[in-house]
Amino acid sequence: MIRSAVTVSLVEEARGGPFVFWDGIPAACRSASELGYDAIEIFAPSPTAVDVDELNTLLERHGLTVAAVGTGAGMVKHGLSLTDPDAAKRQQARDFVRSMIDFGGPLGAPAIIGSMQGRWGGDLDRTATLGLLGEALQELGEHALQFQVPLIYEPLNRYETNLINTVADGVELLRGLATENVKLLADLFHMQIEEVDLAEAIRAGAGFIGHVHFVDSNRRAAGFGHMDFGPIAAALIETGYDGFASVEAFPLPDSATAASQTIKAFNECFRN
Ligand code: LER
Ligand code: MN
């Protein structure tokens, strides 16, 4: 069954970004649970920014789980990328992601590689850069296995990376890995910029999609843009997707409205 999740950012440097809640994990858990969400997705500056015992108490009290943990703070705060031309920086990036896997894993939450994939240019061409990305995904995907969670890799739109922009190219990248423990994140915002047909892209990516960022065309809450959610939801259901539809959206007009609007849209898509 597809479950709902809502994002909470603890990263000040990411203010203005597409995350719903910004006022700490306790407040996010309270609101998420009141609205009937199944989970929260955490965007944290580092693994040590969250007190895990306190988090577990909150999750239990509110009947929530953690859907995923973002790793983008490695880029936003520390300028790290898994495809940096400098080998020492690449190693730091892998260490950061590994530490986020070690944080999320015991909670049953996969880590997401989004902006940490970087981009190609300078001394490294696209093929060489994709090689570096593949090596990192391979190692980190295998590392996540011990927690029985996948590693989630997110194709981004062309303005955020020049490596992989579509689900199909993501599938090709994953097919080239020895591990099967890396899955794709289908972020509907990136997809509506890059895909010819979102529902078709989801059908073609069946079995490879491990997480969904559920958001409208303008990166606002579902229903506040012009996305046609009917065929997208049908494609997810018909292909047997059973992960999270997680709201990664701007808190517009405010966090509470974005969260309540999305759960309404989620229920229309997946609970009818
Ligand atoms: C970035 O645009 C995004 O979609 C995030 O999920 C990646 O960190
Ligand atoms: Mn996303």
Side-chain angles (χ1 to χ4, degrees):
M1 191 173 66
I2 299 174
R3 285 153 294 159
S4 58
V6 58
T7 47
V8 51
S9 172
L10 310 176
V11 181
E12 264 319 303
E13 291 86 343
R15 275 267 170 206
F19 303 100
V20 176
F21 292 121
W22 290 88
D23 295 325
I25 290 182
C29 284
R30 204 162 42 243
S31 301
S33 139
E34 276 168 16
L35 288 166
Y37 279 93
D38 298 307
I40 56 168
E41 178 176 319
I42 303 174
F43 190 66
S46 74
T48 53
V50 178
D51 181 323
V52 174
D53 289 340
E54 196 183 310
L55 173 60
N56 274 317
T57 305
L58 283 165
L59 294 171
E60 197 173 326
R61 181 185 309 152
H62 292 291
L64 296 165
T65 60
V66 180
V69 297
T71 64
M75 167 65 87
V76 175
K77 273 188 82 82
H78 311 293
L80 297 174
S81 143
L82 294 169
T83 57
D84 196 294
D86 179 337
K89 297 279 285 292
R90 288 201 298 275
Q91 191 56 48
Q92 280 179 48
R94 281 196 202 190
D95 292 345
F96 183 84
V97 172
R98 206 179 300 105
S99 72
M100 294 306 284
I101 293 171
D102 293 343
F103 160 59
L107 299 161
I112 297 171
I113 307 293
S115 53
M116 285 293 275
Q117 70 193 271
R119 50 175 70 229
W120 70 268
D123 291 342
L124 287 177
D125 65 13
R126 181 166 187 268
T127 306
T129 309
L130 281 175
L132 294 175
L133 178 60
E135 281 170 26
L137 293 179
Q138 171 69 32
E139 184 204 312
L140 296 164
E142 287 290 294
H143 182 76
L145 263 181
Q146 66 190 291
F147 302 110
Q148 292 171 299
V149 297
L151 177 70
I152 303 289
Y153 168 69
E154 180 173 27
L156 302 174
N157 74 67
R158 66 192 69 185
Y159 307 107
E160 297 187 35
T161 188
N162 53 12
L163 287 172
I164 301 280
N165 304 124
T166 62
V167 170
D169 283 352
V171 168
E172 195 183 318
L173 179 71
L174 299 199
R175 278 194 200 279
L177 303 180
T179 181
E180 291 186 359
N181 201 40
V182 184
K183 299 289 178 203
L184 294 180
L185 199 172
D187 182 320
L188 303 184
F189 169 71
H190 298 305
M191 289 178 71
Q192 62 84 34
I193 295 173
E194 299 295 346
E195 305 288 354
V196 174
D197 180 316
L198 276 74
E200 278 311 308
I202 288 166
R203 286 180 207 284
F208 287 90
I209 297 174
H211 197 67
V212 170
H213 278 157
F214 185 71
V215 60
D216 217 315
S217 52
N218 47 8
R219 226 170 196 183
R220 292 181 56 163
F224 287 169
H226 55 78
M227 189 88 78
D228 185 5
F229 282 96
I232 295 168
L236 288 168
I237 293 165
E238 284 163 30
T239 54
Y241 175 71
D242 71 348
F244 285 94
S246 184
V247 201
E248 187 184 67
F250 291 121
L252 295 172
D254 52 64
S255 299
T257 310
S260 62
Q261 168 59 32
T262 303
I263 198 72
K264 196 169 125 236
F266 174 91
N267 286 333
E268 282 165 11
C269 283
F270 302 115
R271 292 289 183 268
N272 280 332

